[in-house]
Amino acid sequence: MSNITPLRRAPTTGGVGTGKMTAATTTTAGQKYHQHSTSILKTLQATEMLDTKPVLPAEIIATILDYLPVPDLLRFARTSRRYKEMVYDDTRWVARLKSMGVWDEAEARKRFEEAVQRRRQQTISSGVGRGQPIPPPSPTGTTKRESLFFDADLEQERRQHELLQIQLQKQQISDLRDGFETMKVSGGGSGGEPPRDVEGLLLVVKNARSIRGHARQEYGRIYGALAPFYFDLVRARTHTDPLVFKVFRDPDRQARMLANLRSFARSDWADGAEGRREKLEGMTGIFESAVLREFEQGYEFWDVDGRMKKYAHVLEVLNPGSSAGVELFIQKHPIFADREVLANAMDCVNQAMADSITLEPSRRFFEVLGRKVNEQGEIIGRIFPRPQRVFWGFVDKVREEIMVEYITPLFDDAHQRSIPSYLRAVSGIFEQTMLFLRTLTPPKGGEVDQEARAKEIALRIFEPHIDLYFQDEIDTFTAQAEREVGEWEKKLSEQEASAESFYMGSFANRQADKKDFLTSFKKVVMMPVTVLPTSLGLPIGSPFASSKPAATAAANGGPSTPSRAGSPAPAGTPGDRASSPLPGKAFADELAAKAALMTSRLEGIKSLFSIEVALSLVHGAKASLGRVAVFIQLGGQVGGEAREMCETIFVTLLRILGNGHVKPGFDKAVTHLSQYNPREVSEHEKGGVAPLVTFIELVNVGDLISQMIDVFYEQQLAQPKIADRNDFLDPAGMAKKKFEQMLDESVAAGLNKGIDVLMDEVEYICATTQSPTDYNPGGISAPDSILSGTIPGMEKAPAPRPSAGAIDMDIGPSKTAQRIKDLVASHTSMLVGSTDKSMLDVFNGEVGLRLFTAVCKHLKRQRISTEGAIKLIADMNLYFEYIRTLKNKDLLAYFKALRELSQIYLIDAKHAKEMATIIADGDRFGGIFRAEEVYEYAERRADWYQVKREVERAMYGLECCVM
């Protein structure tokens, strides 16, 4: 076996297994052996040898390396080049640095980019210096220029750079062994010298750099500095043995090194790491307890700038964010036993009147507490390295131990005594609490949002009381508003019942007396004839005498003057009614009593709802909403609930004010207006229809209430951003629109009924004040008096027939037309400014049309002569000019046609044909009147029976011509 082929590795499988190694023997081409040897060689040649070795995949090996101690890692790296690459992999050491919390990926990326940029600039500057372009790199790593030509300058620079790198490597080899710095650390107990660069040991973690490709060197530097202290501390048996307490004597440095060791322990992944970390934590806990004892001793002597400040910084260095020293400072603080701060919350109730509360004691309490806390904030800033966190922890303890203990009993007692006092207490003390938290002066040193902290602390104080407060707030406002509206309705009902009792009471007494008299009469009739007196007169004791003479005399309006049933009692003077709500005497009959009762109701329309009640409800809502709105600033769920509660208060206000007060008032007003009858009213000389004027005043009150609600919505909800006016689904906005719609509908219903009342008054004036001689000054006959338009029951004595020389030649409008125009104009002008333009236009249009109908109806009742046509034309012009002021073109066409219609009465009887032409001309009247209607109006001419034949003949001729 002179030659043996080398071992050939068979392909390995993916998992841990056996690899097949084959070896084939070859025979030598030399001497011949005997037959036995030849058979052995042939056997060996035909034999395949198998060699098995365990092989692990690289991934498993890399995972195993993560759990090896660092010295074992370095020994493993010496075994082969491949294992060295695995150990020296930069990601392995980056992971350890990250576990310590010293690797900054952003810094590493920045350094890498800077290195790439610096290398690129050096390459560009070297190429530009020779005036040659930079050739692209070849696959072998050399530039195209180097592969073709030899440049002595470039070759010299390259050799110098290589020599420099060799010198640097030789210098580092003396200090590095496999990438780790060597360091001898010996304590005083072992007889060695302490390390010279002690401060460098403390800063080794802080000064760690994040450089890609150099993570192994950075970790090696940290390991060389901290590993001796770490493993020495783990081996220590008592707290006096560790080297860290011997090398470092100052507590601050000891704390810094222990903090470094705790950070270093997080990169210890080898076997037994958990036990080593527990030993380190135990030793650190012993050190922390000793530091806390020193801090407590300084606390007892109030050594603020001495031991308290020193050991507070030591605790912060040892364990950043630790609360041990902070809790000790807060728990033992003397402010929680200060009598000046611990005030009596019941002073707010005891120093106030019955069922009331005063917040002056609570104001003084928060003022004193704020001053004390600010003083402690200054002291905290002198003691602790991070005072902001300590200060707000101290404030939170003050909240728990002082503020809650002050506020909760006060709220409970106020809730039991009086709900209004409780509502004032919760809202008022919340405002005082927020003012207290905002006036605190935290120490400098930290970016803490004081406003956010203040809201958080206030929420924790008031959150247990919020739900009950909100419910009591809405319940109290609802009950108060309903009570005020109910009292107003009750007062109004009592007044109405009192008036009805007064007006109808006398009539009821008369009916009772009459019934008593008839009963007595029946008894007398059934008596024997002998019992009746013989004389015609009745004796004083006769059964026919009234049993109540005084009441009968009073009911009759005098001491002994009887009054017939059905005759109205004399009406009192307006001055008497103005001075007293009720007349001085009763009425004699039922008709007069009902008329007086109707007048009283109509005069009381304007008191059906009150602006004072509305103002009181608005003030109550404003106070309630103002108390709730202060909680919106808390934000979050509580702030949202407070916002919803404000909108709920506004919706409740509109519901009670609208449906409970304003709408019923308008409904009653419309009902009273529907009962108005101008023929039962004795006075028509005033400037307008009294009930309609009163209703318009009621409309003005409703408009004022609407404006109050609008201002309240804008100032209390829209401007503070509680409600969004642009959100059509906002509850407050929807309730406001519903209230305005209800008000518009009520006003429209009342104005519709008011138009009926106004037109009744117009017809009454036309029937009672229009003299027959206004349009027929020449004379009047008996049939004309019947057609003159007088109303049964309201007839006036006919005016005496004037002589021919006494005919009034006044060409101006009649007094009746002037009065009607003034009446209508006064009522339409009353609505200007109190209703919107659209409703005003509709009202004016309806009034104009109804006036047109009333005037046409009135014309059909008159006899109009040619002389009287002048006054009629003047009346029509008066109406036309008034309608022009309304600026309604459609309405103006009606009165223009009416003015044209009045022209047919001015035509002389001799011109019957021209009259027929005007009657038949439909275009002349703009389609308002048909020819048949104009013919009916022509029949009201005083000389119609004289011209009728000629007019009809002319009209027939015109029809024939048309056909």
Side-chain angles (χ1 to χ4, degrees):
M1 297 189 352
S2 60
N3 292 328
I4 299 177
T5 58
L7 294 177
R8 291 176 293 176
R9 183 184 300 271
T12 59
T13 60
V16 178
T18 60
K20 294 182 179 181
M21 306 296 295
T22 62
T25 62
T26 59
T27 59
T28 61
Q31 299 176 356
K32 293 181 179 181
Y33 294 93
H34 50 82
Q35 185 178 0
H36 181 70
S37 300
T38 304
S39 61
I40 292 176
L41 292 175
K42 290 181 179 179
T43 303
L44 292 175
Q45 185 178 6
T47 302
E48 183 179 9
M49 298 179 64
L50 298 178
D51 185 13
T52 61
K53 287 185 179 181
V55 177
L56 292 176
E59 293 80 2
I60 296 179
I61 296 176
T63 304
I64 295 175
L65 294 180
D66 292 337
Y67 296 96
L68 289 180
V70 173
D72 293 343
L73 275 175
L74 302 181
R75 296 188 187 97
F76 184 77
R78 297 191 185 101
T79 58
S80 68
R81 184 180 299 274
R82 180 172 295 180
Y83 290 157
K84 178 181 179 182
E85 292 176 356
M86 295 178 66
V87 172
Y88 282 19
D89 184 14
D90 198 60
T91 57
R92 185 178 310 282
W93 307 103
V94 169
R96 291 181 180 267
L97 293 176
K98 284 184 178 180
S99 66
M100 294 177 59
V102 298
W103 179 266
D104 187 358
E105 188 64 31
E107 179 187 355
R109 186 183 300 109
K110 182 180 178 182
R111 289 177 179 272
F112 177 76
E113 292 175 354
E114 290 176 353
V116 172
Q117 185 68 19
R118 186 167 53 253
R119 190 179 304 112
R120 186 177 302 167
Q121 290 178 356
Q122 291 177 357
T123 306
I124 293 174
S125 61
S126 62
V128 172
R130 296 174 178 81
Q132 299 292 336
I134 304 300
S138 64
T140 59
T142 61
T143 64
K144 184 176 181 181
R145 179 182 178 184
E146 292 175 340
S147 61
L148 297 178
F149 301 99
F150 175 78
D151 193 331
D153 295 335
L154 289 177
E155 185 66 19
Q156 184 178 1
E157 290 181 2
R158 186 176 63 81
R159 290 182 176 180
Q160 290 179 357
H161 182 70
E162 291 177 356
L163 291 175
L164 180 62
Q165 292 294 332
I166 293 173
Q167 292 177 0
L168 290 175
Q169 291 177 2
K170 290 182 178 180
Q171 182 178 357
Q172 293 176 355
I173 287 174
S174 61
D175 297 330
L176 294 176
R177 292 296 182 267
D178 292 312
F180 285 82
E181 295 183 4
T182 59
M183 180 180 297
K184 296 180 180 180
V185 181
S186 59
S190 59
E193 295 293 333
R196 297 179 180 179
D197 190 8
V198 177
E199 192 66 26
L201 297 176
L202 300 177
L203 298 176
V204 66
V205 174
K206 182 179 179 181
N207 295 335
R209 298 175 300 173
S210 300
I211 305 176
R212 290 180 181 176
H214 295 77
R216 177 172 52 85
Q217 286 81 358
E218 290 297 325
Y219 185 78
R221 188 179 297 109
I222 296 174
Y223 185 89
L226 300 181
F229 292 99
Y230 176 70
F231 292 106
D232 176 77
L233 187 144
V234 169
R235 292 190 298 267
R237 296 182 179 181
T238 63
H239 65 277
T240 59
D241 294 340
L243 185 62
V244 64
F245 299 127
K246 299 176 181 178
V247 175
F248 305 99
R249 297 298 182 181
D250 183 55
D252 182 70
R253 292 191 171 189
Q254 292 174 349
R256 291 165 65 184
M257 178 52 71
L258 287 175
N260 290 341
L261 293 179
R262 294 177 68 182
S263 177
F264 176 74
R266 291 195 292 270
S267 68
D268 183 8
W269 300 340
D271 186 26
E274 190 65 28
R276 289 189 290 272
R277 278 194 288 269
E278 290 180 359
K279 188 65 177 293
L280 175 62
E281 292 295 332
M283 197 66 67
T284 304
I286 295 173
F287 177 78
E288 185 177 13
S289 300
V291 173
L292 280 175
R293 286 194 298 271
E294 294 293 333
F295 180 82
E296 187 175 4
Q297 291 178 3
Y299 198 2
E300 292 176 356
F301 292 98
W302 203 243
D303 188 6
V304 174
D305 297 320
R307 283 182 289 179
M308 291 181 67
K309 180 178 180 179
K310 176 181 179 180
Y311 290 105
H313 282 70
V314 170
L315 290 172
E316 180 65 23
V317 170
L318 177 65
N319 189 5
S322 175
S323 59
V326 176
E327 290 179 357
L328 177 63
F329 176 82
I330 294 176
Q331 292 293 338
K332 299 188 65 175
H333 202 281
I335 194 174
F336 302 109
D338 192 347
R339 293 186 177 181
E340 187 179 2
V341 175
L342 302 178
N344 184 11
M346 294 300 104
D347 291 342
C348 297
V349 178
N350 300 331
Q351 297 180 9
M353 300 178 63
D355 295 335
S356 183
I357 193 170
T358 177
L359 299 181
E360 181 61 25
S362 63
R363 186 195 64 79
R364 293 195 298 267
F365 163 75
F366 282 107
E367 183 179 356
V368 173
L369 183 62
R371 187 177 66 251
K372 293 284 186 179
V373 172
N374 284 332
E375 292 175 357
Q376 297 306 313
E378 182 183 358
I379 294 174
I380 289 173
R382 291 159 52 188
I383 296 175
F384 295 95
R386 292 198 292 178
Q388 285 271 358
R389 182 175 62 89
V390 181
F391 176 78
W392 289 112
F394 175 71
V395 172
D396 189 68
K397 187 65 175 180
V398 169
R399 169 199 64 81
E400 181 181 354
E401 297 292 335
I402 299 178
M403 298 175 68
V404 172
E405 296 297 328
Y406 181 88
I407 291 174
T408 302
L410 176 60
F411 287 171
D412 294 342
D413 187 77
H415 190 272
Q416 294 177 359
R417 291 172 180 259
S418 172
I419 297 298
S421 299
Y422 168 75
L423 300 179
R424 289 187 57 234
V426 174
S427 180
I429 291 182
F430 174 79
E431 290 185 296
Q432 292 177 352
T433 301
M434 291 301 298
L435 181 62
F436 158 74
L437 294 172
R438 286 169 178 159
T439 54
L440 294 179
T441 308
K444 298 180 180 180
E447 297 295 333
V448 178
D449 189 355
Q450 182 174 355
E451 184 67 17
R453 284 296 182 93
K455 293 178 181 179
E456 179 185 354
I457 294 174
L459 177 61
R460 296 177 66 181
I461 295 174
F462 286 88
E463 189 174 13
H465 310 280
I466 288 294
D467 293 337
L468 178 62
Y469 166 73
F470 282 167
Q471 189 62 43
D472 287 345
E473 190 70 67
I474 189 64
D475 292 344
T476 301
F477 171 71
T478 303
Q480 179 183 358
E482 291 179 348
R483 182 173 60 253
E484 291 189 13
V485 173
E487 291 177 355
W488 170 264
E489 294 293 335
K490 182 179 179 182
K491 180 180 178 182
L492 198 63
S493 300
E494 291 177 352
Q495 291 179 355
E496 186 174 355
S498 176
E500 184 175 1
S501 175
F502 176 81
Y503 287 119
M504 302 302 293
S506 60
F507 176 74
N509 292 336
R510 287 173 58 84
Q511 294 294 329
D513 294 342
K514 187 175 181 179
K515 184 176 180 180
D516 292 342
F517 174 79
L518 291 176
T519 302
S520 301
F521 177 76
K522 290 179 182 180
K523 291 181 180 179
V524 171
V525 170
M526 299 301 295
M527 286 182 181
V529 180
T530 56
V531 179
L532 295 176
T534 57
S535 61
L536 297 176
L538 294 175
I540 297 176
S542 173
F544 289 96
S546 175
S547 61
K548 298 179 181 178
T552 304
N556 290 337
S560 60
T561 304
S563 176
R564 293 190 315 161
S567 61
T573 62
D576 295 336
R577 287 200 303 271
S579 60
S580 175
L582 298 176
K585 58 183 179 180
F587 295 90
D589 61 348
E590 184 178 5
L591 181 61
K594 287 185 177 181
L597 179 59
M598 182 191 67
T599 303
S600 174
R601 287 176 175 175
L602 293 174
E603 291 177 351
I605 284 179
K606 58 185 177 182
S607 62
L608 290 177
F609 58 80
S610 171
I611 194 171
E612 287 80 9
V613 173
L615 188 62
S616 177
L617 295 183
V618 169
H619 278 302
K622 180 181 178 181
S624 182
L625 191 146
R627 290 192 294 265
V628 175
V630 298
F631 291 93
I632 296 178
Q633 59 187 308
L634 291 178
Q637 181 180 356
V638 174
E641 292 177 356
R643 190 183 304 274
E644 293 177 359
M645 184 58 59
C646 291
E647 294 185 343
T648 303
I649 292 172
F650 181 72
V651 172
T652 304
L653 167 67
L654 297 186
R655 177 179 59 83
I656 297 175
L657 180 60
N659 298 333
H661 187 59
V662 175
K663 191 175 186 301
F666 272 115
D667 294 342
K668 290 182 181 179
V670 173
T671 302
H672 292 169
L673 276 177
S674 62
Q675 299 173 356
Y676 174 77
N677 188 356
R679 295 167 182 81
E680 297 177 357
V681 179
S682 59
E683 297 181 2
H684 295 273
E685 301 298 329
K686 296 182 179 180
V689 183
L692 185 55
V693 172
T694 306
F695 180 79
I696 292 177
E697 292 180 1
L698 189 69
V699 173
N700 291 330
V701 174
D703 182 66
L704 287 176
I705 293 176
S706 178
Q707 293 180 18
M708 287 168 49
I709 296 299
D710 188 67
V711 172
F712 179 83
Y713 176 82
E714 289 294 329
Q715 293 184 354
Q716 303 297 323
L717 295 174
Q719 292 183 3
K721 306 298 182 181
I722 297 176
D724 186 4
R725 62 170 66 92
N726 297 323
D727 184 6
F728 65 95
L729 295 178
D730 184 68
M734 294 174 63
K736 180 173 177 290
K737 292 179 181 178
K738 187 177 180 180
F739 176 80
E740 293 172 350
Q741 183 180 1
M742 179 275 300
L743 197 61
D744 292 341
E745 292 176 354
S746 300
V747 171
L751 292 180
N752 187 33
K753 186 60 65 176
I755 292 174
D756 296 339
V757 172
L758 180 61
M759 291 302 108
D760 290 343
E761 186 73 15
V762 168
E763 292 180 0
Y764 179 82
I765 293 174
C766 290
T768 58
T769 63
Q770 190 79 63
S771 175
T773 59
D774 288 343
Y775 299 148
N776 189 14
I780 183 171
S781 59
D784 293 335
S785 64
I786 298 175
L787 298 172
S788 61
T790 57
I791 298 175
M794 302 302 293
E795 297 89 348
K796 287 189 176 181
R801 183 173 183 175
S803 60
I807 295 176
D808 186 10
M809 297 304 295
D810 183 15
I811 62 174
S814 63
K815 294 181 179 179
T816 300
Q818 186 66 45
R819 184 173 174 183
I820 291 174
K821 177 259 180 185
D822 294 340
L823 175 69
V824 177
S826 64
H827 287 84
T828 54
S829 62
M830 288 179 185
L831 292 175
V832 177
S834 60
T835 56
D836 57 354
K837 188 178 183 301
S838 60
M839 182 177 292
L840 183 62
D841 292 341
V842 172
F843 177 78
N844 291 339
E846 185 66 21
V847 169
L849 288 176
R850 297 284 294 275
L851 177 63
F852 171 79
T853 304
V855 172
C856 292
K857 185 178 180 181
H858 179 59
L859 285 180
K860 292 182 179 181
R861 293 173 179 164
Q862 304 301 314
R863 279 295 180 186
I864 307 168
S865 64
T866 306
E867 295 81 3
I870 298 175
K871 190 172 288 293
L872 176 62
I873 293 173
D875 290 351
M876 297 303 108
N877 286 330
L878 179 65
Y879 294 143
F880 179 81
E881 293 300 327
Y882 163 67
I883 296 300
R884 188 196 297 272
T885 61
L886 299 181
K887 298 179 180 180
N888 191 327
K889 294 182 180 180
D890 297 335
L891 188 61
L892 193 62
Y894 286 88
F895 285 86
K896 184 178 181 181
L898 198 60
R899 187 177 61 176
E900 293 294 333
L901 178 66
S902 64
Q903 302 293 329
I904 64 174
Y905 301 105
L906 192 61
I907 302 174
D908 192 78
K910 300 177 183 180
H911 305 288
K913 185 176 181 180
E914 287 76 4
M915 188 185 306
T917 303
I918 294 175
I919 293 174
D921 187 6
D923 296 336
R924 184 182 185 91
F925 305 101
I928 303 299
F929 295 111
R930 293 175 294 137
E932 294 82 358
E933 294 176 342
V934 178
Y935 180 83
E936 292 178 1
Y937 286 105
E939 290 178 346
R940 303 313 303 160
R941 285 178 61 97
D943 56 355
W944 175 249
Y945 294 104
Q946 299 175 8
V947 300
K948 178 180 180 181
R949 184 185 300 271
E950 298 295 331
V951 171
E952 289 180 350
R953 183 182 294 117
M955 290 183 67
Y956 180 75
L958 290 173
E959 291 179 0
C960 293
C961 293
V962 172
M963 295 175 63

